[in-house]
Amino acid sequence: MSHLKKRKIEQNPPKEEEIKFDGIGFYLLTTENNVKGTKRSVRLREIVGDDLKWGICINFMHDVDWLIGQCPVFSKVPLGFLYGTAPGIDKYRNIHPHKPVVPNYGTHHTKCLLLAQKSKPILRVVIQTANNIYADNFEMTDAVWMQDFPLKADGAAASRCRFEDDLVDYLRQSKWPGMPTPDADRITPDTLRAYDFSSARAILIPSVPGTHTGPSLHHGRGR
């Protein structure tokens, strides 16, 4: 008679750390060789998820095919793209590309995701150190800071904070024209003013290529 060996089953397997979008500290990106991940490590697809209504991807380098392979939802929703280089971008009809004007010096190097959730009225702000390419995400040490922000309460539409003003003004200074959506609403920089950023646990230091004087000095080294 043969005897079956019982496989040892761990009664209380360790739980993966829950990803928190609370703006406290930052997460490292989980690299290719770090299969289990360190504490507070995360992959891009875990940040984006599937619950997306629309998004804005801001980066210097976008490998668009790779990015959509990582985050398939990016091929299904209105997606604004601000970029320096983005090969393959023209074949995706849902992507609305915008290349900020860069003078003979400097570059558009901001790295950020703005993700409007579909099932709840939340905007996820993700500040990245990585380009949206394979090497930066899987072979280098890079990090993200991220926080979810709710809609403003009724009657609070006029209230503003520095985080909100900096985010909106950055998109304006970058001359982002906005993008259409299937429900006929147009997403513009001012769309972000519907969200309450007063709980932000970070300060934005925006960088816009160009020559800055007067009030726009805070977009360059003057900030």
Side-chain angles (χ1 to χ4, degrees), residues 162-213:
R162 183 63 180 268
F163 190 98
E164 174 186 328
D165 287 342
D166 284 339
L167 191 57
V168 171
D169 201 37
Y170 163 77
L171 290 172
R172 286 178 176 171
Q173 292 291 330
S174 297
K175 303 295 188 296
W176 184 59
M179 62 180 177
T181 63
D183 55 10
D185 290 332
R186 187 171 184 84
I187 306 300
T188 69
D190 282 331
T191 301
L192 304 184
R193 293 208 181 276
Y195 295 92
D196 183 1
F197 298 100
S198 62
S199 64
R201 291 189 166 106
I203 296 172
L204 294 178
I205 303 179
S207 177
V208 177
T211 301
H212 305 286
T213 59

Side-chain angles (χ1 to χ4, degrees), residues 88-104:
I89 197 171
D90 294 334
K91 63 183 179 182
Y92 295 98
R93 298 185 63 182
N94 67 302
I95 293 179
H96 305 276
H98 173 67
K99 189 171 186 177
V101 176
V102 178
N104 293 330

Side-chain angles (χ1 to χ4, degrees), residues 60-77:
F60 172 52
M61 296 174 65
H62 296 276
D63 181 339
V64 184
D65 290 337
W66 174 85
L67 182 61
I68 288 180
Q70 293 295 303
C71 309
V73 71
F74 277 166
S75 67
K76 304 172 185 177
V77 299

Side-chain angles (χ1 to χ4, degrees), residues 29-114:
L29 292 180
T30 306
T31 56
E32 184 177 44
N33 293 326
N34 187 8
V35 178
K36 294 183 179 180
T38 61
K39 282 190 174 181
R40 294 186 69 84
S41 70
V42 66
R43 295 193 189 278
L44 186 60
R45 61 175 175 264
E46 295 175 305
I47 297 170
V48 176
D50 299 315
D51 185 31
L52 193 63
K53 184 177 182 181
W54 54 263
I56 304 173
C57 293
I58 305 167
N59 215 305
F60 172 52
M61 296 174 65
H62 296 276
D63 181 339
V64 184
D65 290 337
W66 174 85
L67 182 61
I68 288 180
Q70 293 295 303
C71 309
V73 71
F74 277 166
S75 67
K76 304 172 185 177
V77 299
L79 203 63
F81 253 58
L82 282 76
Y83 68 99
T85 63
I89 197 171
D90 294 334
K91 63 183 179 182
Y92 295 98
R93 298 185 63 182
N94 67 302
I95 293 179
H96 305 276
H98 173 67
K99 189 171 186 177
V101 176
V102 178
N104 293 330
Y105 51 87
T107 185
H108 173 263
H109 217 258
T110 300
K111 297 175 175 65
C112 175
L113 292 170
L114 304 176

